[in-house]
Amino acid sequence: MYSKLPKKRYKYTLEFLQKHLPAPAVILDLGVRNPFSEIMEENGYTVYNTKGEDLDVLPQIVKDYKVDAVTAFEIFEHLLAPFNVLREIETSKIITTVPLKLWFSDAYRSKTDMWDRHYHEFEDWQYDWLLEKSGWNIKDTEKWTSPVNKIGIRPILRNYVPRYYAVYAEKVIKK
């Protein structure tokens, strides 16, 4: 079933999640149910997903869930204003991944799906700043590459240039 999934990305994402939020734990995973939701459940997590609501328009829906942490795996690059959702999250922990901006490749844009596009592809410092400005204290980060089985300069560069950025952060407690 999982033969066509991005195994390296899912492996590293799961390891990063387990490092900062060991199972069992209850998670709100931003975005619709997906293969990684199933992987998290297979590894002892209880997972709720948003249902496809436009998080730019309805960022407050994250308040409808009482969970141990929020995860957002490759979701914030699709939002016009991820700051708004990040500010609305009430749980104290967030674990996220975003694709990094690659100097040798344009931002991703599906030609067939108007929603499957990247409004943002971040540099790590930009994403850190977004999290900090929206009330999060970054505790740990990791990066990894995304090799592809193609021939050419860009596929070779993907073996060496990090494509994904994972962040574990905790909510800043206001005094």
Side-chain angles (χ1 to χ4, degrees):
M1 174 180 168
Y2 297 121
S3 63
K4 297 204 181 249
L5 299 179
K7 291 179 187 170
K8 180 179 181 179
R9 179 170 51 125
Y10 285 0
K11 175 184 179 293
Y12 287 151
T13 302
L14 182 61
E15 289 172 357
F16 192 78
L17 173 64
Q18 291 171 326
K19 176 180 174 182
H20 297 292
L21 186 70
V26 179
I27 294 171
L28 170 60
D29 185 36
L30 300 183
V32 296
R33 187 157 178 81
N34 58 75
F36 196 72
S37 303
E38 294 175 24
I39 291 170
M40 288 188 288
E41 289 174 343
E42 289 168 3
N43 283 274
Y45 296 94
T46 300
V47 180
Y48 298 103
N49 286 90
T50 52
K51 295 170 181 54
E53 303 93 338
D54 187 334
L55 297 175
D56 279 318
V57 177
L58 300 168
Q60 69 278 8
I61 67 162
V62 297
K63 293 181 178 185
D64 293 345
Y65 300 86
K66 300 299 176 220
V67 295
D68 299 313
V70 168
T71 57
F73 302 124
E74 285 87 61
I75 187 85
F76 290 137
E77 67 273 12
H78 299 280
L79 301 180
L80 297 175
F83 175 85
N84 297 325
V85 171
L86 287 162
R87 291 286 294 177
E88 294 287 337
I89 295 170
E90 293 178 340
T91 190
S92 62
K93 298 177 182 179
I94 189 168
I95 299 155
T96 70
T97 59
V98 293
L100 291 169
K101 182 176 179 1
L102 299 175
W103 56 269
F104 57 85
S105 182
D106 294 336
Y108 174 73
R109 181 176 149 188
S110 171
K111 293 182 183 353
T112 58
D113 184 347
M114 71 175 271
W115 295 107
D116 189 19
R117 298 176 179 181
H118 290 182
Y119 186 78
H120 302 279
E121 286 189 353
F122 300 93
E123 292 185 39
D124 55 0
W125 68 268
Q126 291 171 309
Y127 191 62
D128 291 352
W129 188 31
L130 171 64
L131 288 170
E132 291 164 359
K133 189 167 183 183
S134 59
W136 296 91
N137 184 14
I138 295 168
K139 298 293 188 178
D140 190 24
T141 65
E142 285 184 23
K143 295 179 187 176
W144 55 83
T145 60
S146 178
V148 293
N149 294 326
K150 294 181 181 177
I151 297 173
I153 298 298
R154 288 192 288 187
I156 290 171
L157 289 171
R158 288 183 183 276
N159 285 300
Y160 302 101
V161 177
R163 174 62 169 156
Y164 294 101
Y165 185 50
V167 177
Y168 166 65
E170 295 178 357
K171 193 80 163 185
V172 174
I173 298 171
K174 296 177 183 171
K175 297 178 183 180

